[in-house]
């Protein structure tokens, strides 16, 4: 309402030096009763709410719909192959729906996301359709999770739709106890 229409909002952005919005992050509160990618019974709601959202923003010419492919790790632990497969099925459907709007669905793996280890991330992309689900490489999130983002990118480069570069100073080695030791400045 502030700008009158999506078109006027885009004009405002362009008048102020922003050529276009490339990425839109789909942030939803995952709730296994309503919308949670690892709960197959909620997939219809996730797909339909994504369609509604993309319909509202259709005229912004967005390229990527960025999603966190699973809910929080503590809400899913232990993560199983079926958990990952269910999430992949969900995002395949969302990706097919977003393609109708000319938008790519792309997974952004936060360090606190249930699908966060290198093995789980690679499994997720094995179960997703490359036509509908892409990979978004966030260097800091992968470093915090103990993954070398360059090595992960090299494995998924053909699926990568973008990067989020952040300086984490160094990637802790795999198996590093990151919590208290990192907070008090101890090295791993």
């Amino acid at each position: 309402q502030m700008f009158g229409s999506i078109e006027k909002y885009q004009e405002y952005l362009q008048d102020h030096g922003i050529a276009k919005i490339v990425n839109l992050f789909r942030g939803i509160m995952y709730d296994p009763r309503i919308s949670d990618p690892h709960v197959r019974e909620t997939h219809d709601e996730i797909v339909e709410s994504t369609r509604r959202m993309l319909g509202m923003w259709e005229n912004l010419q967005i390229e990527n719909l960025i999603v966190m492919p699973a809910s929080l790790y503590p809400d899913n632990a232990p993560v199983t192959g079926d958990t990952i497969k269910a999430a992949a099925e969900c995002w395949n459907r969302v990706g097919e729906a977003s393609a109708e709007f000319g938008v790519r669905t792309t997974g952004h793996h936060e360090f606190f996301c249930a699908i966060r280890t290198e093995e789980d991330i690679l499994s997720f992309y094995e179960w997703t359709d490359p036509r509908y689900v892409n990979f978004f490489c966030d260097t800091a999130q992968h470093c915090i999770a103990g993954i070398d983002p360059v090595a992960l990118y090299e494995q998924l480069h053909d699926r990568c739709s973008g990067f989020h570069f952040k300086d984490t100073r160094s990637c802790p080695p795999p198996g590093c106890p990151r919590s208290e030791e990192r907070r008090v400045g101890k090295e791993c």
Side-chain angles (χ1 to χ4, degrees):
Q1 290 188 353
M2 181 184 232
F3 298 97
S5 70
I6 295 297
E7 294 81 10
K8 289 195 182 292
Y9 174 59
Q10 186 157 296
E11 282 176 33
Y12 174 84
L13 294 175
Q14 291 169 345
D15 289 346
H16 290 84
I18 298 173
K20 67 185 278 187
I21 296 175
V22 178
N23 303 315
L24 180 65
F25 195 92
R26 186 191 196 296
I28 59 173
M29 298 304 295
Y30 291 132
D31 180 335
R33 298 166 300 170
I34 302 167
S35 61
D36 204 330
H38 76 278
V39 179
R40 287 178 175 91
E41 295 77 21
T42 68
H43 290 184
D44 288 344
E45 171 55 29
I46 294 170
V47 172
E48 291 311 311
S49 63
T50 301
R51 272 196 178 103
R52 288 190 301 272
M53 182 191 69
L54 289 173
M56 288 188 316
W57 295 99
E58 188 170 20
N59 294 325
L60 281 183
Q61 304 161 357
I62 296 162
E63 293 179 17
N64 296 303
L65 173 66
I66 301 176
V67 300
M68 188 168 77
S71 57
L72 304 179
Y73 178 78
D75 296 338
N76 274 279
V79 177
T80 65
D82 190 57
T83 303
I84 298 168
K85 191 172 185 180
E89 291 166 2
C90 175
W91 297 115
N92 279 333
R93 290 183 57 201
V94 168
E96 190 172 4
S98 71
E100 296 169 11
F101 292 89
V103 175
R104 292 180 296 212
T105 293
T106 186
H108 179 279
H109 301 265
E110 306 281 355
F111 74 91
F112 48 81
C113 172
I115 301 174
R116 65 193 175 118
T117 68
E118 185 172 356
E119 179 183 349
D120 290 349
I121 290 170
L122 294 174
S123 292
F124 174 76
Y125 289 101
E126 285 176 20
W127 280 322
T128 57
D129 187 328
R131 295 174 301 168
Y132 301 126
V133 181
N134 293 277
F135 165 65
F136 201 87
C137 188
D138 184 315
T139 58
Q141 297 296 336
H142 297 307
C143 282
I144 293 167
I147 299 170
D148 178 344
V150 175
L152 186 61
Y153 166 76
E154 287 174 345
Q155 295 177 78
L156 295 170
H157 67 88
D158 57 332
R159 305 276 294 268
C160 189
S161 63
F163 294 90
H164 193 179
F165 293 109
K166 294 180 257 181
D167 181 8
T168 57
R169 301 289 171 194
S170 67
C171 287
C176 171
R178 283 168 207 69
S179 57
E180 190 59 31
E181 289 83 355
R182 297 285 290 189
R183 270 183 270 177
V184 296
K186 293 181 184 175
E187 291 299 315
C188 296

